[in-house]
């Protein structure tokens, strides 16, 4: 069996934040550690397991500004990291204010890396974080069809109630999202929107207009309201780093 990822005894990657934010996070962590119940520790372990081993050590400082890109793309990478850092520096207020985080861009640009950083930061201040690949939500919802005692609501409710929901790639890699999936996504996003619970999402889309075509105006408008939006459109890191990859 695979060993469970170890929960950190210190706040995850606090060193990358501003001094004031770091002091606040450390103070909150020390107070929480004295009284932290087993459920909170289990929640952190579960989050790390859902993120996957690749992202256990993800940090903002570990996000590489790629020297193979042109100067404009490198500047946009730096601007994205700066924007994420500023969002996380005020993380308790961002969460309490229901402020979303949207990462637009092409595949292989590090969107999930930065999403994982944000998730771990929220877990470090004992907020309930749910990370999901959107395709897994849709598959689980469809699996309830015709099954006695199961319902789509059972799938959606834990995600609606989380302090933070992180969604990876609700736009399918192949084909189009179907009307059932759009309806479930809207129910999920709308409930969180009305309760002012932030949703963080990565989207393989050029911008809001592109996302609206794929996911509907209702979903994207709720996501974008009062959100921090990052533009991550540059060439794939994975392709460039693959042996024989083409820039």
């Amino acid at each position: 069996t695979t060993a469970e990822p170890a929960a950190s005894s210190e706040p995850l990657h606090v060193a990358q934040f501003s001094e004031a934010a770091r002091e606040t996070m450390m103070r909150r962590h020390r107070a929480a550690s004295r009284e932290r119940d087993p459920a909170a520790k289990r929640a952190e372990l579960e989050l790390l397991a859902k993120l996957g081993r690749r992202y256990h050590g993800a940090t903002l400082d570990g996000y590489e500004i790629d020297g193979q890109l042109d100067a404009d793309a490198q500047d946009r990478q730096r601007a994205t990291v700066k924007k994420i850092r500023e969002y996380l520096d005020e993380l308790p207020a961002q969460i309490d204010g229901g402020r979303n985080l949207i990462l637009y861009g092409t595949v292989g640009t590090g969107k999930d890396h930065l999403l994982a950083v944000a998730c771990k930061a929220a877990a470090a201040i004992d907020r309930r974080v749910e990370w999901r690949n959107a395709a897994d939500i849709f598959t689980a919802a469809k699996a309830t069809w015709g099954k006695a005692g199961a319902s789509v609501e059972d799938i959606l409710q834990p995600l609606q109630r989380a302090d933070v929901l992180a969604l990876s790639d609700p736009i399918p890699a192949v084909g189009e999202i179907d009307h059932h999936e759009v309806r479930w996504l809207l129910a999920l996003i709308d409930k969180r929107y009305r309760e002012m619970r932030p949703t963080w999402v990565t989207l393989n889309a050029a911008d809001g207009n592109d996302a609206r075509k794929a996911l509907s105006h209702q979903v994207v408008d709720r996501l974008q309201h009062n959100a921090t939006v990052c533009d991550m459109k540059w060439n794939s890191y994975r392709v460039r780093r693959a042996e024989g990859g083409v820039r």
Side-chain angles (χ1 to χ4, degrees), residues 7-205:
S8 173
S9 61
E10 292 294 326
L12 296 165
H13 61 77
V14 296
Q16 64 195 295
F17 301 113
S18 69
E19 183 176 354
R22 192 161 62 245
E23 289 177 356
T24 298
M25 292 177 73
M26 288 293 291
R27 186 169 59 252
R28 289 171 183 264
H29 178 77
R30 285 192 294 268
S33 295
R34 290 192 291 270
E35 301 178 359
R36 205 176 192 202
D37 60 31
K41 295 179 181 179
R42 285 196 302 272
E44 184 175 342
L45 289 172
E46 289 170 2
L47 171 63
L48 290 173
K50 289 171 183 174
L51 288 174
R53 288 179 59 196
R54 180 173 300 279
Y55 298 121
H56 286 182
T59 67
L60 279 181
D61 290 339
Y63 185 88
E64 180 182 344
I65 304 302
D66 191 345
Q68 293 188 32
L69 294 172
D70 61 36
D72 176 69
Q74 291 182 48
D75 286 344
R76 285 186 284 114
Q77 284 188 315
R78 293 186 185 93
T80 294
V81 172
K82 180 175 182 289
K83 192 175 286 190
I84 297 293
R85 193 185 303 276
E86 289 171 349
Y87 183 96
L88 297 182
D89 277 350
E90 302 294 335
L91 188 55
Q94 307 284 14
I95 294 174
D96 293 342
R99 300 186 188 104
N100 296 338
L101 178 63
I102 306 176
L103 307 177
Y104 288 117
T106 44
V107 298
T109 58
K111 298 186 298 296
D112 280 339
H113 177 110
L114 295 178
L115 187 66
V117 170
C119 288
K120 295 195 297 176
I125 57 173
D126 284 336
R127 301 303 180 100
R128 292 175 299 131
V129 182
E130 290 286 351
W131 183 95
R132 291 290 191 281
N133 186 295
D136 293 339
I137 298 175
F138 301 148
T139 298
K142 290 177 179 178
T144 66
W145 290 349
K147 186 180 292 185
S151 71
V152 173
E153 192 65 20
D154 295 332
I155 305 299
L156 298 184
Q157 277 189 352
L159 307 179
Q160 290 169 332
R161 293 171 178 167
D163 293 329
V164 174
L165 172 63
L167 280 179
S168 176
D169 295 336
I171 297 176
V174 178
E176 298 180 352
I177 188 170
D178 68 38
H179 70 279
H180 296 292
E181 294 166 347
V182 171
R183 181 162 53 86
W184 297 330
L185 188 60
L186 178 58
L188 175 57
I189 299 302
D190 181 63
K191 175 68 172 178
R192 296 187 58 80
Y193 177 79
R194 287 184 285 114
E195 297 295 334
M196 294 186 66
R197 295 178 181 138
T199 301
W200 300 343
V201 61
T202 64
L203 293 169
N204 289 323

Side-chain angles (χ1 to χ4, degrees), residues 216-247:
S216 82
H217 285 265
Q218 294 93 326
V219 168
V220 176
D221 284 0
R222 284 166 173 77
L223 286 173
Q224 285 194 317
H225 181 230
N226 203 26
T228 292
V229 179
C230 297
D231 173 10
M232 300 182 65
K233 294 190 293 293
W234 43 79
N235 292 336
S236 170
Y237 178 90
R238 289 190 290 265
V239 169
R240 291 193 308 282
R241 290 298 182 270
E243 185 176 354
V246 179
R247 284 187 65 181

